[in-house]
Amino acid sequence: MSLDFQGPRGSIEQRWIIYALLRDNVQHHLEGGRQGDGFQALHGLQLALGGRPVSVSARRLHDELLKAQRELPAKPIDQLAVSGRTRAVISLTFPIPEVGETMLVAGSGVVVEPVRGARTLGDVFGFLLDDLLRVTRDAGPDDQVVVTDL
């Protein structure tokens, strides 16, 4: 599964799991394990998974991603977190929970393929942060990011 992100400054395609890990680690490290109001645009993108295209404010997403970029990429890989939703998809366990608590991957028995060889969280999803910041840079008040599950 991959997601197509169309922003005011271009588009990118990325594997679903990379987006999910970014979202999960924002939730774990910046929101205390529960989805809050501070990252509504980032969390809103998950509605595109297996469904219809979703639009969020490019400016709001950019601001949220800047916060994540300041806090997450330098964390060591043993701080990688995963949510119950992501664990359910990885293990093909249905139904997928509406909202998932988060836990650290280290010692959990969860196998997350993109982590092999990674030393920091930035190695796992830093390039997605960079790319999304690029396609949302200088977004105006009406600019949107449209995400489609391919």
Side-chain angles (χ1 to χ4, degrees):
M1 292 187 290
S2 65
L3 298 173
D4 178 57
F5 299 84
Q6 300 277 334
R9 294 221 176 250
S11 65
I12 60 168
E13 183 179 335
Q14 186 52 252
R15 293 182 339 176
W16 161 84
I17 188 67
I18 303 300
Y19 158 74
L21 290 171
L22 170 60
R23 180 200 63 215
D24 293 353
N25 281 275
V26 163
Q27 181 177 326
H28 187 82
H29 294 289
L30 304 180
E31 297 181 295
R34 298 259 181 227
Q35 288 184 24
D37 293 336
F39 292 88
Q40 288 180 340
L42 181 66
H43 289 299
L45 299 178
Q46 72 188 358
L47 297 175
L49 298 172
R52 59 177 173 73
V54 171
S55 296
V56 297
S57 164
R59 182 180 281 178
R60 180 171 184 141
L61 181 60
H62 186 85
D63 292 344
E64 292 174 6
L65 294 169
L66 284 174
K67 291 178 200 171
Q69 189 180 49
R70 283 191 295 270
E71 300 291 328
L72 296 177
K75 289 189 179 298
I77 196 63
D78 65 355
Q79 293 299 300
L80 183 71
V82 64
S83 70
R85 288 180 56 84
T86 302
R87 287 191 318 267
V89 173
I90 290 170
S91 65
L92 301 175
T93 304
F94 299 100
I96 295 172
E98 287 293 318
V99 176
E101 78 291 348
T102 59
M103 63 187 285
L104 293 179
V105 171
S108 71
V110 176
V111 177
V112 182
E113 192 63 34
V115 177
R116 292 189 184 185
R119 293 159 73 162
T120 66
L121 299 188
D123 293 338
V124 176
F125 51 73
F127 54 91
L128 177 59
L129 274 168
D130 293 342
D131 286 347
L132 287 174
L133 284 166
R134 179 182 49 79
V135 302
T136 58
R137 185 173 30 104
D138 300 325
D142 297 326
D143 288 331
Q144 298 286 305
V145 171
V146 179
V147 180
T148 307
D149 188 354
L150 300 177

